[in-house]
Amino acid sequence: MNDNTADGQALTEIQMAAAAAPAPTVVVAPTLNDAAQQACEDTVRILAEAVANRGVAHLALTGGSGGVALADSLAPLIVAQPEQLRHAIHLWFGDERFVPAGDPERNDLLASPLIAAGVPESQVHRLAAPQNVSGLDEATARMVHELEAAGLASGGFDVVHVGLGPDAHVCSLFPGHPAALAVGAPAVAVRSSPKPPAQRYSLTFETLQRAGRIMVVAGGEGKAEAARRGLGAPDVVRAPASCCRGRETTWYLDESASAGRSAV
C-alpha cells in the first residue's frame, strides 16, 4: 500500500501507535469461564479505583462468546459492590449491530444482567436502533457525540472488553476492511461487514489505543491462531487484534486458545 495515500497514512499511524504501546500481558486459565472470571475481577478493581479517583467509571462491553462469559461473571461481582460504585458506572459497547432494539443480534442485550445488578439504565449508552434514526450514519453520529461529550474520544475508557474473532478481528474491525483504517473519529459506521449483519458500528483503533486497559478474552482451539497473530507484530490489515493495545493490555485466554503462543 502506498504510504502517501490516506489509507497508507492511517495504516502507519495505527500500527506505530500499537508498536509504541506496552506489550500485552497474557493470563492463561483452564477454561473460558475461568479466564472471564479473572478479567472481571480485574475489571471491578479498576472501576473501583476510577470511581475513587474521579467519581465515575467507563466500561465498554463486547459481544460474542467472550462477551457472554464476561457478562455472566461480571454481574455477581457488581451486585456485591457498594451502591456508590454501582451508580457511578457507565456502560458502552465496543461495537454494535445495526438491527432493531431487542434483536438477539444486539450486543446491548448483555447489559441486562449488569442493570439488574445495579448499573443505572440511564448510564447504558446504546446505539440507536434503525426504527429511531434515518440510518447507520445518524446512529453513529449520535454515538460519536455521546463519546465526545463524555471525554472518551481522548482516552477516557477505564476498561474495554474485547472479544477475538477466529480471523483476528476485534470489535467490528475486520481484516482488510476499510473501517479498520478509520482515523479522526472515536467511532465508525461499518458497512458490508464480512460477518452478518452487514451494517454495524465500532469504536476505532484510535479510541481503543487511548483506553486505560484493554482486556481481550478468548477461548477454544478455534481462537489459537488468532491469538498467535494478535500477540504478534502489529498488522492492522491481516490481524486487527494485533493493533488493539491500550495504555495497558491483558489477554485472558483459556488453555486451548493459548496453545499457539509459543509460535509468537
Side-chain angles (χ1 to χ4, degrees):
M1 182 179 289
N2 183 350
D3 283 346
N4 291 324
T5 66
D7 281 353
Q9 293 172 3
L11 181 151
T12 299
E13 177 183 322
I14 291 167
Q15 293 184 170
M16 287 184 64
T25 298
V26 180
V27 174
V28 179
T31 69
L32 175 58
N33 286 339
D34 292 329
Q37 180 68 29
Q38 181 62 64
C40 289
E41 290 174 2
D42 291 344
T43 295
V44 171
R45 175 180 54 80
I46 294 169
L47 296 181
E49 291 172 356
V51 173
N53 292 332
R54 303 194 323 270
V56 66
H58 294 280
L59 167 65
L61 302 177
T62 187
S65 57
V68 172
L70 285 161
D72 288 345
S73 295
L74 188 57
L77 295 175
I78 292 293
V79 79
Q81 302 306 308
E83 182 179 82
Q84 180 182 1
L85 173 58
R86 289 183 276 125
H87 287 184
I89 296 172
H90 284 251
L91 297 179
W92 305 75
F93 303 89
D95 70 325
E96 185 57 277
R97 292 82 179 269
F98 190 56
V99 294
D103 189 295
E105 290 280 356
R106 285 188 70 103
N107 289 334
D108 64 10
L109 297 181
L110 294 176
S112 296
L114 302 180
I115 295 167
V119 176
E121 168 65 42
S122 61
Q123 293 170 195
V124 179
H125 302 266
R126 304 176 190 271
L127 184 73
Q131 62 266 39
N132 298 323
V133 289
S134 61
L136 178 60
D137 285 339
E138 182 182 347
T140 301
R142 288 189 184 187
M143 189 56 65
V144 165
H145 176 74
E146 287 192 50
L147 289 164
E148 292 174 342
L152 299 179
S154 57
F157 275 113
D158 297 293
V159 180
V160 178
H161 287 169
V162 179
L164 178 69
D167 59 354
H169 83 265
V170 289
C171 298
S172 283
L173 304 173
F174 294 90
H177 194 285
L181 298 180
V183 293
V188 61
V190 181
R191 291 182 171 80
S192 302
S193 164
K195 180 180 179 181
Q199 293 193 90
R200 297 164 173 245
Y201 149 93
S202 181
L203 296 178
T204 61
F205 278 116
E206 282 186 333
T207 302
L208 294 168
Q209 290 170 345
R210 292 169 180 163
R213 177 71 68 89
I214 296 287
M215 297 183 177
V216 182
V217 180
E221 293 180 4
K223 303 293 179 71
E225 174 61 15
R228 184 190 70 80
R229 292 163 58 198
L231 289 165
D235 186 338
V236 70
V237 175
R238 296 178 180 84
S242 65
C243 292
C244 189
R245 299 178 183 177
R247 296 199 297 274
E248 291 184 65
T249 304
T250 307
W251 285 56
Y252 300 83
L253 305 174
D254 72 3
E255 292 175 353
S256 296
S258 71
R261 286 196 305 128
S262 59
V264 174

